[in-house]
């Protein structure tokens, strides 16, 4: 099980971000779409559902605090709910909101 985290403009279209190949499910070769699949395993450290409906500006303090608290050093096992893996996912989202502060998170 997992969360799908999207960053959308006011028209409900997913915004573009630098190409990435991150998350539990991803497009081979990467995608420029602001969508990230995050395993529920990380939920013991951070509830990604908290981002739902928040603008990038509103979510930035939550994401910044998570990265500061958890760091962003990934474990080789994506599914392992280490603080570093959680911080890495939050850091990806943080980089997106820096470029798209008015965009809105949708989490399903």
């Amino acid at each position: 099980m997992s969360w799908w985290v999207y960053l959308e403009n006011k028209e409900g279209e997913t915004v573009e971000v630098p190409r990435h190949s991150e998350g539990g499910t991803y497009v081979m070769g990467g995608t420029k779409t602001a969508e990230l699949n995050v395993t529920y395993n990380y939920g013991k450290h951070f509830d990604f559902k908290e981002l739902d409906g928040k603008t990038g500006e509103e979510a930035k303090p939550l994401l910044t605090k998570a990265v500061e608290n958890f760091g962003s050093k990934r474990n080789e096992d994506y599914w392992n709910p280490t603080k570093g893996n959680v911080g890495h996912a939050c850091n990806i989202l943080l980089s997106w909101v820096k470029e798209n502060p008015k965009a809105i998170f949708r989490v399903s």
Side-chain angles (χ1 to χ4, degrees):
M1 304 289 286
S2 59
W3 291 287
W4 276 100
V5 182
Y6 302 90
L7 196 56
E8 300 177 344
N9 63 23
K10 63 183 179 179
E11 288 81 29
E13 301 164 332
T14 307
V15 299
E16 284 196 2
V17 294
R19 185 172 300 281
H20 67 96
S21 296
E22 300 287 347
T25 302
Y26 56 89
V27 176
M28 292 298 276
T31 182
K32 289 185 174 186
T33 305
E35 59 182 38
L36 184 66
N37 179 264
V38 181
T39 177
Y40 282 158
N41 294 354
Y42 297 175
K44 73 185 225 179
H45 297 296
F46 188 85
D47 181 3
F48 287 86
K49 192 72 174 163
E50 261 189 78
L51 301 173
D52 192 46
K54 288 183 171 45
T55 65
E57 290 173 329
E58 294 167 335
K60 187 176 179 180
L62 292 170
L63 294 168
T64 300
K65 184 177 179 182
V67 173
E68 288 171 356
N69 288 340
F70 303 142
S72 59
K73 184 174 175 158
R74 289 189 295 178
N75 183 281
E76 62 185 42
D77 178 2
Y78 165 81
W79 305 104
N80 192 339
T82 66
K83 290 181 179 181
N85 279 351
V86 175
H88 178 72
C90 290
N91 199 41
I92 292 167
L93 299 175
L94 182 59
S95 72
W96 295 354
V97 302
K98 288 178 180 176
E99 293 181 25
N100 302 280
K102 301 290 186 200
I104 301 166
F105 277 104
R106 298 290 176 225
V107 182
S108 56

